[in-house]
Amino acid sequence: MRPYVILNSAMTLDGKIATKTGSSEISGPEDLIRVHKIRKEVDAIMVGINTVLADDPRLTVHKIPSVPSDNPLRVVVDSRARTPLEFRILNTDAPTLIAVSESADPQKVEALKKKVDVVSCGDKRVDLQCLMAELHGRGVKTLMLEGGSTLNYSMLSQGLVDEVRVCIAPMIAGGRDSKTLVDGEGIGHMKDAFKMEFKKSYSLGKDMVVEYHVVHE
Ligand SMILES: NC(=O)c1ccc[n+]([C@@H]2O[C@H](COP(=O)([O-])OP(=O)(O)OC[C@H]3O[C@@H](n4cnc5c(N)ncnc54)[C@H](OP(=O)(O)O)[C@@H]3O)[C@@H](O)[C@H]2O)c1
């Protein structure tokens, strides 16, 4: 058993979610409100460690009226326990779970455990199947995956994503070193692409939101 997973992201028309310098202010204020509404609805939000290191995100519900109990569990996929102790993801605004692997430095794990919950899944890298089962066991029925590109690929390639919701901003960034919606290893042939079924689309301020169901083959 695993949570129902919604991959949500903002991207440019050419599919970039950040520039080569890590700048990722893409969508408009209306989209940020949409994202915070989803945060309020789901049981957990998950990001990769590089997103934490790049953005120092809070991952709380703060752009719409809310009370502390509206904040979902914040999950960081961080094999080597690299989450900096002073970062906002470890504050007391919301519960946090850091998923590490057996390869993490025990001292770093202990330091994190003094602040938040830590779970170990996998030998070298975080085993995402194991993590999903762990989260489900902790009562997480719905989860929003908020990137970045590397974690998005791992989750899609392991069949762990159920919906993709993308806000497309009317801008083009370019750059071979700019992060796209999904990076990772990528597939070799288009016939093996992750298949989607259209759900809905709508304009939001200057942006366009498109939503798809992932077809599990
Ligand atoms: N526009 C948007 O909506 C949006 C949203 C999110 C992020 N972003 C941007 O995306 C960029 C970060 O993306 P990213 O691709 O570099 O990194 P990422 O996906 O945030 O994190 C990837 C890291 O997670 C760790 N990890 C552990 N187990 C993993 C597994 N099984 N599969 C995949 N990753 C695993 C790995 O580091 P370890 O091995 O050290 O654990 C890996 O390098 C940032 O610039 C951020 O601003 C944009």
Side-chain angles (χ1 to χ4, degrees):
M1 296 286 274
R2 66 168 178 85
Y4 183 86
V5 175
I6 302 163
L7 187 169
N8 184 82
S9 188
M11 70 178 197
T12 61
L13 198 49
D14 54 335
K16 309 294 185 189
I17 64 165
T19 66
K20 59 186 172 189
T21 64
S23 161
S24 61
E25 304 79 18
I26 295 173
S27 54
E30 299 87 351
D31 183 56
L32 297 179
I33 288 170
R34 180 189 68 85
V35 172
H36 283 244
K37 281 182 181 163
I38 305 175
R39 285 185 182 177
K40 197 170 173 175
E41 281 167 16
V42 295
D43 299 319
I45 309 173
M46 187 169 87
V47 293
I49 180 61
N50 291 352
T51 294
V52 170
L53 296 175
D55 303 340
D56 186 15
R58 274 182 279 179
L59 298 185
T60 53
V61 183
H62 56 266
K63 296 213 183 286
I64 55 175
S66 64
V67 293
S69 60
D70 290 330
N71 288 319
L73 174 69
R74 304 176 289 191
V75 182
V76 183
V77 179
D78 178 14
S79 315
R80 293 174 280 163
R82 291 189 290 148
T83 303
L85 294 176
E86 69 282 10
F87 269 31
R88 299 191 292 184
I89 197 91
L90 301 180
N91 66 22
T92 53
D93 291 354
T96 297
L97 176 70
I98 308 290
V100 300
S101 71
E102 295 300 323
S103 67
D105 177 343
Q107 281 188 341
K108 287 186 176 172
V109 173
E110 279 316 305
L112 285 172
K113 274 186 179 167
K114 290 200 173 110
K115 295 194 142 210
V116 295
D117 249 5
V118 179
V119 65
S120 184
C121 284
D123 298 336
K124 290 221 153 52
R125 245 187 167 190
V126 174
D127 178 333
L128 297 170
Q129 307 275 352
C130 159
L131 175 59
M132 289 302 113
E134 171 73 27
L135 288 172
H136 193 269
R138 289 173 182 240
V140 175
K141 303 285 181 280
T142 51
L143 178 145
M144 172 157 61
L145 171 60
E146 285 205 54
S149 329
T150 309
L151 184 59
N152 287 349
Y153 180 76
S154 291
M155 288 288 288
L156 274 165
S157 61
Q158 292 184 44
L160 297 173
V161 179
D162 301 291
E163 259 187 63
V164 175
R165 299 183 190 176
V166 183
C167 175
I168 305 169
M171 51 168 98
I172 289 179
R176 72 179 68 82
D177 295 326
S178 305
K179 291 275 166 193
T180 59
L181 176 65
V182 182
D183 287 341
E185 218 176 297
I187 51 139
H189 298 279
M190 277 302 173
K191 69 174 174 48
D192 299 323
F194 313 119
K195 307 291 187 309
M196 312 279 143
E197 216 165 63
F198 177 75
K199 188 180 160 197
K200 65 177 174 182
S201 65
Y202 52 95
S203 59
L204 192 58
K206 291 180 178 171
D207 305 326
M208 169 71 76
V209 178
V210 286
E211 301 187 7
Y212 295 89
H213 287 293
V214 177
V215 177
H216 294 292
E217 294 175 320

